[in-house]
Amino acid sequence: MIVGAAVVRDGALLAQQRAWPADHAGQWELPGGRVEPGETEGVALYRECQEELDVDIIVGGRVGPDVALPGGKVLRIYAASLLSGEPRAVEHKALRWLTPDDLTDVDWLPADRELLPDLRLLLARPS
């Protein structure tokens, strides 16, 4: 299972630009990663955001459907908000806050691209 965080602040979604592997470098994705043995999805997402962004988050509800990934893995996205820290690109090339109008301005990884309608709906919710 791969979990991702749809971190929203002030009506914008946090995206990060991959530095590797070479075939995906430069593409954009939501923060997150693999659920390790013994972890819940929420704990994994919290850990991944600490590692990738140097922030603490509050994990909220699910966003969109599960997305099938190569190799039989599944991507599951959760809404999230910042608890402490200011996001910084620890393992990625860049970070960007995207408004609903900006969502199609970046080259998303295919799995994340599938969730754009759901992410747009998340951004349309009152905060």
Side-chain angles (χ1 to χ4, degrees):
M1 175 67 64
I2 307 297
V3 290
V7 179
V8 175
R9 179 172 72 185
D10 299 328
L13 176 73
L14 183 62
Q16 54 189 14
Q17 189 178 35
R18 291 197 69 139
W20 51 271
D23 57 336
H24 291 297
Q27 288 187 296
W28 292 79
E29 67 180 353
L30 297 175
R34 182 174 288 111
V35 178
E36 299 294 343
E39 285 184 323
T40 64
E41 292 173 10
V43 166
L45 198 51
Y46 183 88
R47 175 185 50 77
E48 288 285 348
C49 285
Q50 285 184 316
E51 292 172 0
E52 293 181 358
L53 301 169
D54 195 25
V55 297
D56 295 325
I57 61 165
I58 297 170
V59 179
R62 294 271 313 276
V63 176
D66 288 351
V67 177
L69 298 173
K73 295 182 181 128
V74 172
L75 173 65
R76 184 171 290 162
I77 302 299
Y78 288 88
S81 56
L82 293 174
L83 180 62
S84 66
E86 182 61 29
R88 63 185 188 91
V90 176
E91 299 177 348
H92 289 73
K93 282 171 111 172
L95 299 178
R96 186 167 166 194
W97 289 99
L98 301 169
T99 66
D101 292 340
D102 299 330
L103 286 178
T104 56
D105 290 353
V106 299
D107 180 18
W108 290 97
L109 289 174
D112 293 74
R113 189 176 304 122
E114 281 187 46
L115 293 161
L116 288 181
D118 301 290
L119 296 170
R120 192 175 306 280
L121 286 172
L122 175 67
L123 290 173
R125 289 186 199 156
S127 29

